[in-house]
Amino acid sequence: MSNDVADGAAAVDGAVLRTVLVNGIAASFEAPPATVLTEVLREELGLTGTKVGCSAGDCGACTVMIDRAAVCACMVPVGRLAGTSITTVEGLTGDELGERLQASFLRHAAAQCGFCTPGVLMAARALLGTNRQPTRQQVMDGLGGVLCRCTGYQAIIAAVLDVDAADPVTVRPTSGKAVGASIERVDGRVKVAGTDVFGDDDAPDDALVIHVIRSPFARAAFTFCDLESFVSENDGITAVLTARDVPGVNRFGVIAPLADQPVFAEHETRFAGEAVAAVVVLPGFDFSSIEFPVVWAALNPLTSPALALHPAAELVHTDRPANVLVEGFVQTGDVDAVMPSCAAVASAEFDSPFVEHAYIEPEAGWAEVIDGLVVIHVTTQSAYMDRASMAEILGVAEHRVRIVPTAVGGGFGGKLDLSVQPFLALAALRTGQPVRITYSRAESMASTTKRHPSKLSVSIGADSNGRVTAMSFEGVFDTGAYASWGPTVANRVPIHASGPYFIPNYRAHSTAVHTNGPPSGAFRGFGVPQAAIAQETLFDELAGRLGIDRLEFRILNALTAGQRTVTGHVLEGGVGIRDCLEALRGPWADALTRAQSLNRANDRRHRSGIGVAGIWYGCGNTSLSNPSTIKVGVRSDGSVVLHQGAIDIGQGSNTVISQIVADAIGIEVHRVLLRSADTSITPDAGKTSASRQTYVSGMAAYLAGVSLRAKLLAMLDASFDSEFVFDAGVLRCHSDGVARSVDLRRLPVDADGFVVVAVESYDPPTTALDHNGQGTPYAVFGYGAQLIELSVDTATGRVQLHRVVAAYDVGKAINPQLVVGQIEGGIAQGIGLALLEEYLPGRTNNLHDYLIPTIGDVPPIETIIVETHDPVGPYGAKGVGEHSLIPTAPAILNAIHHACGIRIRSVPATPTKVLAAILKRGAA
Amino acid sequence: MSGVAFAYSRAADVADAVARGGAPGAAFVAGGTDLLQLWKAGRATPTELIDVYGLGLDGIGVDGDELSIGATARLSDVARHPFVVDQHPLIAEAVLASASGQIRNMATVGGNLLQRTRCPYFRTAGMACNKHRPGSGCGALDGEDRHAALFGAGSSCVATHPSDLAVALVALDATVEVSGARGVRRVGLSELYRLPGERPDVDTTLAAGELITRVLVPRAASIGRLATYVKVRDRASFEFALLSVAAVIRIDAGTIVHARLVCGGVAPAPWRLPAGEALLIGQKPERGVFTVAAAAAVEGAPPLPGNSFKVELLRRALVRTLTTIATGS
Ligand SMILES: Cc1cc2nc3c(=O)[nH]c(=O)nc-3n(C[C@H](O)[C@H](O)[C@H](O)COP(=O)(O)OP(=O)(O)OC[C@H]3O[C@@H](n4cnc5c(N)ncnc54)[C@H](O)[C@@H]3O)c2cc1C
Ligand code: SF4
Ligand code: FES
Ligand code: FES
């Protein structure tokens, strides 16, 4: 283009006027040539549909088409764009094929959090542009460069293959029929359109930008030089914040009594990536070449629990003796007496590394102060907890802080702790201006929580009939520098380590140990996935020794209603593990035959194997109150508005809670208007963790819906089972042959605009555990089992997964399609835990050294939904969010053993480890 | 998010590029997928970028007895070029095993051959690395050495070359055509790379300002020959090689008469295994022969503690690659 003068041979650096063709429209902006296309699209042209997950070509979230070819916009310098035509996700609207693709994604629920969705759609659109009817393999090749952490890719593949569906059906249940229907996500359309607003998507143009200064060392002392002149000598720098600028307490933590993490370290940092200061700069100011005036002195870090537990070890926190944060303990029966008399005992040690959540959306948000109210727009899983912590940090009352959660591009537990919130609030208060921050991928990975590394020592014994009679479990968990969710892990693990089986003699002890690693926190399963690896692989060894089929061994030992769990809790009903395992009997027999015939036919190099594992998982907090409150009301025009504070991080609570409330009220679900979480609008529905939203917030929604219905019918003086309709502003019903009506427009309106409103809370009935861990830790457990078919390339140690069959007892599937999505996504993360993922502090802070599963790593998944109506949950439902991840890794390890006779007890089972084990076995 | 600012301009033609490319601080940029990443990490600090993407050096075709691939041809165009697919499928295999579709739509052949190591210490600002700054130390030798080289490394640097394409091209006896201040020259691709020695910061034998204009593959390299590329990695796709093997053999009357065994991910450059090649010549294409040749090929590879598995893995990958070729499956 001739006006693009800077691209001529003589031009030099500098911001010059450029014109590019985006979605068919010529757009002009000023930028230096090395500015990347993502920045121009998002910041200059306001096209925020194109996402940034890594800025390095690793995630594909930024995929756009340039001249019909898919490229990573984060890598395209704008100096290069003259004469090209760019298409972004916004350009799919109006494009026939693009709109078909979007519709297919909605039908297949191929967008969960929706953060990868624009990139996936663009890669798919480019593929279809050259290959209108791709095969499954071609879809996988075409989409191989986009990472999705939520879906497990199966729905995405199905959606692309089904783009030309002749007669697509939209599920639109009638009144009272929403529960059990696979309705489209209520927030799905914005996700496929690229218009959903995530943490980095709506900061005001003039917002100041925050950069955080972080420790490069696992442990270091530091001193600042002259910060005042640093600010005054740099024109673009507005302010510097350090520990001295925290007006309240410089400490936060999700478990209040143990709160120990400073916003800014004071004197000494405890992990690599810990913040010491924040610099607030003008928008557009290039901070990268500025040297911050801090002097570091590296100190000797404690890099493992073994070092930290050494009697001579220094203390990470002086008030935590022996570097022990907490211990968990559950004991029943007499393990020591019974174990020696067992017919078979299997014992082993296991370990697992730090695992990173690797949601594709890095932490981001913006804040402003309005009339003394600090308003923080942020990607978070826990708005109310955030508000409480922020009030403490700022030293103000809670009503002075408002948390407005943006759409969340994946959380999995990693967005339960504070991240950007304190920096935003402090900077907004200090400068009086809107401020924003977006973590880089490296910053996100270095500074946020991880899955706890574990070292487990486990023994399980069974009698000669194959009944498991005794188990002992000793677990050491590396809880890193700060408490975070360490106590939850330490408490949950001993309760769950038995697996969903009846074990009369049991002792489990866990210790969460501080080190100078990154804080270990909440990650789908709170330590239970690590424990399940030990228990489920030892079960295989026992079955093998006793000559019992591995699946039958589990069925024989499965917990049933009326039996005591290891905490002495007698579950009255809804114990579905046996049903799940039995549902796998058919697939198991088929898979076994298939593996045997493959092994006969194969060259000796590829060995096929199958594995199974079962799990249980308690929904809600362990023995602690964790209430949810839901508000639903009717406006004078007859519209029904749901104030639902259960944050939807992609798992679908916006949709599921709408379905429950619609049926409870007795109206069509598409009539429910949604107000999502906002601490100034929606009541507290707790945090999105512990698989609690469907059950706990679902119960609150159910109760609120029933209460609203009762109020409406009382106004009509009609019986509770009468049917009613909203006829514009008039509520009408026919009851006992009489037409009744109430004119809503004449009723007084409350602050929310409601003429009738119901607010209800629900808190799961649990009891505290005694010194032996006995009690009722959860009101509801979910159950599941997975079967894996795989083959091992014994030449290279590479494991190839062929198929997963997952059977889950979800009580009642409120939305079966969303349940399947949760299961497929959990399995993909389980695959990562089993085969790929190992976070090394300081070394793997990117998505090419830290490997999460790509589309090619996840095999086809078949889900069997088992519904054993839960006596406690809404419509019998319970959670599945975390349950789905837990059995995958042990099932894979069991299948590897079945295939080639090796036992991998240290995940991830990379080709290197598998090959080493094969060689060792060969040598033995 | 960016390094120190630089001047940027498009080269008018090859002569212009070469004339300006030799200046201190000047660097060519093609697809930019590697250079701009290094720049962002502060590990490349050009003061002047000369854009060669638009020079029209992207032709792919037959030139006499050779296949000619322009230096700025995009990887995706190479992999789907009918002549490449038909006559030199090894090249297409190696390219399709590289990066992702999106990256291949930007990355060029020249840039791919000259991309720098993926050693994480090299690519992270603030870490000790002799390749970044000679004498500053080697983070990998003191730290995590799973990815370290088996061959050709020195005490200064144990990094490996990451390109898949280069491994295939060396197995096909490719040469590169280079334009520089002193005119045009041709250099065998294996001679393009140098070992770290005392200067781990210099990867190639190119003089300052020399521009790769095309890659040439002798037609004979493929005629009547059997070849395949095997890449071993942890993840199913979209990952650099843990190691890779390109093997080419020609069989005449039941005997192997030509053999090239080249491996990637194990040395500072694509690494030929002449001892293994020699043991194949004159032999029958049988598993027993392959096993013997593979064992000889890896002999003497001195591993570090963290990468000793690579010796056995390489041996197995060699056997596997050769078997695949011989059985055509
Ligand atoms: C996420 C990701 C995954 C990847 N995976 C793989 C993989 O699996 N296998 C693999 O092989 N590669 C992989 N790559 C690397 C990728 O192939 C290279 O980045 C790309 O080929 C470089 O080409 P470019 O044109 O973008 O080079 P540039 O970044 O433009 O240049 C790279 C270097 O080459 C020089 N240069 C470029 N062209 C010329 C020329 N004509 N003459 C002289 N010097 C020149 C530049 O000065 C620069 O030093 C991956 C990259 C990314 C980002
Ligand atoms: S191996 Fe080479 S590139 Fe890696 S840290 Fe050492 S010197 Fe740098
Ligand atoms: S943001 Fe571009 S690839 Fe991740
Ligand atoms: S839906 Fe793909 S990353 Fe969340």
Side-chain angles (χ1 to χ4, degrees), chain A residues 330-339 341-342 459-463 466-472 494-495 497-508 539 542 553 556-560 562-569 616 772-774:
Chain A
V330 170
Q331 166 161 282
T332 184
D334 191 343
V335 176
D336 298 327
V338 174
M339 192 75 87
S341 62
C342 286
S459 296
I460 308 179
D463 66 20
R467 296 217 177 255
V468 174
T469 48
M471 170 169 179
S472 73
I495 299 169
S498 63
Y501 306 101
F502 176 67
I503 305 184
N505 301 285
Y506 177 84
R507 183 175 60 232
F539 262 44
L542 283 177
F553 180 75
L556 180 66
N557 286 289
L559 199 62
T560 54
Q563 277 180 328
R564 290 161 52 90
T565 70
V566 291
T567 70
H569 176 189
W616 67 334
N772 275 327
Q774 300 296 297

Side-chain angles (χ1 to χ4, degrees), chain A residues 56-58 75, chain B residues 28-35 71 75 97-99 103 106-108 110-112 114-115 118 162-165 210-212 231 238-240:
Chain A
D58 296 325
M75 307 196 92
Chain B
F28 299 128
V29 60
T33 58
D34 195 41
L35 187 62
L75 295 184
S98 310
I103 308 260
M106 297 181 275
T108 68
N112 184 278
L114 296 181
Q115 64 177 305
R118 304 300 301 188
S163 168
D164 289 298
L165 175 61
E210 274 191 318
L211 179 76
I212 298 181
K231 178 170 179 175
F238 202 11
E239 189 195 355
F240 286 92

Side-chain angles (χ1 to χ4, degrees), chain A residues 635 637 639-643 658 669-675:
Chain A
R635 295 211 201 108
D637 62 357
S639 58
V640 177
V641 184
L642 167 65
H643 285 192
S658 298
V669 63
H670 65 266
R671 291 191 53 105
V672 177
L673 303 176
L674 182 73
R675 290 302 300 266

Side-chain angles (χ1 to χ4, degrees), chain B residues 14 26 33 48 142 157 225:
Chain B
V14 171
T33 58
E48 185 185 1
D142 305 332
C157 175
R225 296 191 181 174

Side-chain angles (χ1 to χ4, degrees), chain A residues 11 13 34 39 55 57-58 63 70 75 80 288 605 793-795 798 842-843 851-852 854 857 911-912 919, chain B residues 1-2 6 8 10 30 33 37 40 51 102 105-106 120 127 144 146 234-239 309 316 320:
Chain A
D13 183 32
E39 209 166 309
S55 289
D58 296 325
T63 302
M75 307 196 92
R80 164 76 46 95
S288 61
R605 207 180 91 205
D793 179 343
T794 56
R798 226 189 101 74
R843 258 278 287 106
L851 300 175
I852 67 171
T854 64
D857 293 281
T912 316
L919 294 177
Chain B
M1 62 150 275
S2 49
F6 50 74
Y8 168 91
R10 283 189 179 174
T33 58
Q37 286 301 314
K40 278 191 209 167
D51 191 338
Q102 289 96 311
N105 279 335
M106 297 181 275
M127 296 226 178
E144 212 259 334
R146 188 170 109 90
D234 291 353
R235 189 160 77 171
S237 61
F238 202 11
E239 189 195 355
F309 71 93
R316 285 163 174 248
R320 172 173 157 198

